[in-house]
Amino acid sequence: MMRLRLVLPAVALALAGPASAQIDFTAMPEGCNWKIRYSSGQVVTETYLGRKGGKHRTRVTAGETPVREMTYDAQGRMIRKDWSDGNWETFSPYSCFDIVGSCTYRYRNSSGADQKIVSETIAKGAGFQVRAGPVDGPPYPVEYFETGSFGLMLRNKASNYSARLVEIRNCDPGS
């Protein structure tokens, strides 16, 4: 009987899957950066710029070329993308991509898009599966992603692309 009691909690923890999918900026030092390689061959580096006005900011570059700046709320949820060409995207109250459970948000961009997006993210295996799409519209391709240190995405896969973390630098608390 004692053996059964010890096994059940261990099985429950193993089946629970990962607990969180948001980036943990509170543990991340400014200047921490990570490199992502996409299936298209593109490689980008995202660098943590720090916290300003209660929000976390990152800059994404391809080599030395600026691509976009990202804004996250205090909990590490994405709320805005500002592209280097002047275009922008907002997610209100935040993007639900990495929010476990059912979630709805408003997506707007500088081209005039204004959509309500419904999203369902579930823990699956070592990562998360996301089903999302506009209300009353066709769904986006299902995505699967796994996270690692600081909640950074280690790998991401959908039917139309994949990406993986290939390098992380300057992320030790004293660096």
Side-chain angles (χ1 to χ4, degrees):
M1 189 63 134
M2 179 59 93
R3 184 174 180 203
L4 183 60
R5 285 187 202 157
L6 294 175
V7 172
L8 286 177
V11 170
L13 286 173
L15 294 176
S20 178
Q22 284 81 47
I23 297 175
D24 182 8
F25 289 112
T26 60
M28 185 183 290
E30 286 184 32
C32 174
N33 64 79
W34 51 100
K35 192 175 287 189
I36 302 163
R37 181 180 312 276
Y38 290 90
S39 52
S40 67
Q42 181 184 33
V43 177
V44 298
T45 301
E46 189 164 355
T47 303
Y48 181 50
L49 303 176
R51 192 172 178 156
K52 183 175 181 182
K55 295 179 176 54
H56 299 281
R57 308 256 317 156
T58 65
R59 177 176 294 124
V60 178
T61 57
E64 298 296 317
T65 306
V67 175
R68 67 182 175 268
E69 289 200 5
M70 312 273 286
T71 305
Y72 299 83
D73 68 11
Q75 287 76 42
R77 301 172 298 203
M78 184 175 53
I79 57 175
R80 187 175 178 96
K81 292 181 183 180
D82 289 288
W83 297 87
S84 59
D85 64 4
N87 287 308
W88 53 266
E89 297 173 82
T90 62
F91 309 84
S92 181
Y94 44 76
S95 170
C96 293
F97 179 83
D98 56 4
I99 305 300
V100 176
S102 296
C103 183
T104 303
Y105 65 97
R106 182 176 178 192
Y107 170 81
R108 293 178 50 226
N109 70 26
S110 53
S111 297
D114 187 353
Q115 299 176 312
K116 189 175 189 179
I117 307 293
V118 64
S119 176
E120 171 99 27
T121 301
I122 61 168
K124 182 173 183 175
F128 301 90
Q129 179 178 286
V130 183
R131 293 182 184 276
V135 172
D136 298 327
Y140 301 143
V142 174
E143 293 194 48
Y144 173 80
F145 68 97
E146 296 175 6
T147 59
S149 298
F150 303 106
L152 297 175
M153 198 171 298
L154 296 175
R155 44 190 84 56
N156 187 10
K157 185 170 176 60
S159 62
N160 57 346
Y161 84 102
S162 65
R164 66 183 178 89
L165 182 76
V166 294
E167 184 178 17
I168 185 167
R169 299 176 55 183
N170 303 320
C171 297
D172 292 330
S175 60

